[in-house]
Amino acid sequence: MDVDAFVVAHRPTWDRLEHLTKRRRNLSGAEVDELVDLYQRVSTHLSMLRSSSTDSALIGRLSTLVARARSAVTGAHAPLWSEFIRFWTVSFPVVAYRSWRWWLGSAIAFFVVAIAIGFWVASNPEVQATIGTPSEIAQMVDHDFESYYSENPAGSFALRVWINNAWVAAQCIGFAVVLGLPIPYVLFQNALNVGVAGGLMFAAGKGGLFLGLLTPHGLLELTAVFLAAAAGMRLGWSVIAPGDRPRGQVLAEQGRAVVSVAVGLVVVLLISGLIEALVTPAPFPTWLRITIGVLAEVGFLAYIIYFGRRAVRAGETGDLADAPDVVPTR
């Protein structure tokens, strides 16, 4: 069988079934009959493709479509807990996983800029003089940087950190509406702040203190910011280069996927804020605090890779409109 010709011939049928499935709550009687007929036809198409094609992405997409259509035809409304589980095992991780190139690119660019600025500040007394007077810099490196993490009660400090980090991530998500163009500037501003602080601390011989205080929470916190930036920039690029699909359809799909990232990052940044409030200032050995931060980071990445890869293999996209609100009954 010529798979390409088969796809061209039957794509309108698949698109129509997808459209009816998404509108399952508002169908007329004739449309319900059409939904049942298309479900049976597309099920046959899927069976034919499974026996003659090795295109896992196409088979995954049709499998998901047939499953959703079957649920719409024979199912009952899914309980809230199943939607909650689907979000954390499909919608959020698959969007993060699919954005890994943008995510990694954002991280590399951030650290290149931050490290370059840090070296520049640390090796140039003239640059340090433009940042502050010797007494102001001494106050920052000898007192302010460390006391920042312990001068307020842990609860209020965690809330403040969470709000601040959520605001940075929200900026990256929000700038998706203007194709993500301001996002590199937001990342640069944060890289500048990290680079300047690091340069001053290393110049004063307190690089170990700087890394010991920043690493426990900073790994997860920055990872969340990079993911937000990746989602926003990926949406912008999908509008600029939508491929062979209508630009409006791509924008709608990616926009809903960005919403998944925004909701997921609320929890990720809350965890980061708790680590910053409870672990960073704790009187633990530096190696223990850093280990806790590394374990949180590794755990988050492992979660994204495991569930994201599994969802990709199943043909999921993270589009919230694809989440079924029904479960099959027998």
Side-chain angles (χ1 to χ4, degrees):
M1 180 177 67
D2 186 334
V3 176
D4 291 335
F6 187 86
V7 172
V8 170
H10 296 293
R11 185 182 294 277
T13 301
W14 304 341
D15 291 342
R16 177 61 177 168
L17 177 60
E18 184 172 21
H19 174 72
L20 292 176
T21 302
K22 289 180 178 180
R23 294 184 54 246
R24 53 190 169 270
R25 296 182 181 178
N26 301 294
L27 298 180
S28 64
E31 287 175 326
V32 170
D33 292 338
E34 182 184 6
L35 172 64
V36 174
D37 177 63
L38 291 178
Y39 159 63
Q40 295 172 338
R41 289 163 59 186
V42 176
S43 296
T44 302
H45 297 164
L46 176 60
S47 178
M48 295 171 65
L49 283 172
R50 279 176 169 164
S51 63
S52 58
S53 173
T54 59
D55 188 338
S56 59
L58 176 61
I59 293 173
R61 181 203 168 190
L62 278 189
S63 298
T64 301
L65 177 58
V66 168
R68 290 171 50 224
R70 179 175 62 248
S71 298
V73 171
T74 65
H77 287 286
L80 183 61
W81 63 264
S82 68
E83 297 180 6
F84 178 83
I85 292 174
R86 175 183 166 80
F87 176 83
W88 290 108
T89 59
V90 176
S91 301
F92 175 55
V94 76
V95 174
Y97 186 79
R98 286 182 177 275
S99 302
W100 75 267
R101 291 179 179 84
W102 292 91
W103 192 0
L104 180 61
S106 299
I108 292 174
F110 179 94
F111 284 115
V112 166
V113 171
I115 292 172
I117 291 175
F119 272 110
W120 183 50
V121 171
S123 59
N124 287 276
E126 298 84 0
V127 175
Q128 298 172 28
T130 65
I131 297 173
T133 65
S135 60
E136 291 172 338
I137 293 176
Q139 174 70 17
M140 192 278 283
V141 300
D142 293 334
H143 178 265
D144 293 350
F145 188 83
E146 184 174 9
S147 64
Y148 168 77
Y149 297 100
S150 57
E151 62 186 4
N152 294 301
S156 62
F157 181 64
L159 178 62
R160 188 174 69 182
V161 168
W162 178 51
I163 293 174
N164 177 72
N165 294 339
W167 169 241
V168 175
Q171 284 181 290
C172 293
I173 295 293
F175 283 139
V177 301
V178 288
L179 306 185
L181 295 178
I183 293 176
Y185 177 74
V186 174
L187 292 178
F188 174 79
Q189 286 292 104
N190 284 270
L192 176 64
N193 292 336
V194 172
V196 168
L200 293 175
M201 293 292 287
F202 272 88
K206 296 193 175 184
L209 177 63
F210 173 78
L211 295 176
L213 290 174
L214 194 62
T215 303
H217 65 275
L219 289 174
L220 188 59
E221 175 185 307
L222 289 174
T223 298
V225 171
F226 300 150
L227 176 54
M233 290 189 290
R234 184 169 182 246
L235 182 146
W237 181 252
S238 69
V239 174
I240 296 172
D244 59 355
R245 295 190 298 160
R247 185 170 278 105
Q249 178 185 353
V250 174
L251 177 61
E253 291 177 358
Q254 291 297 323
R256 289 189 292 265
V258 166
V259 172
S260 294
V261 171
V263 174
L265 288 184
V266 170
V267 175
V268 176
L269 288 171
L270 176 59
I271 295 173
S272 171
L274 290 173
I275 293 175
E276 186 168 358
L278 301 176
V279 176
T280 298
F284 302 148
T286 299
W287 67 266
L288 178 58
R289 288 187 281 112
I290 291 178
T291 298
I292 293 173
V294 170
L295 289 176
E297 173 75 358
V298 170
F300 177 62
L301 294 178
Y303 155 73
I304 293 296
I305 292 172
Y306 175 76
F307 286 104
R309 181 181 295 171
R310 188 175 70 170
V312 166
R313 289 174 177 170
E316 296 283 356
T317 64
D319 186 345
L320 292 178
D322 289 341
D325 66 349
V326 291
V327 293
T329 57
R330 298 187 186 278

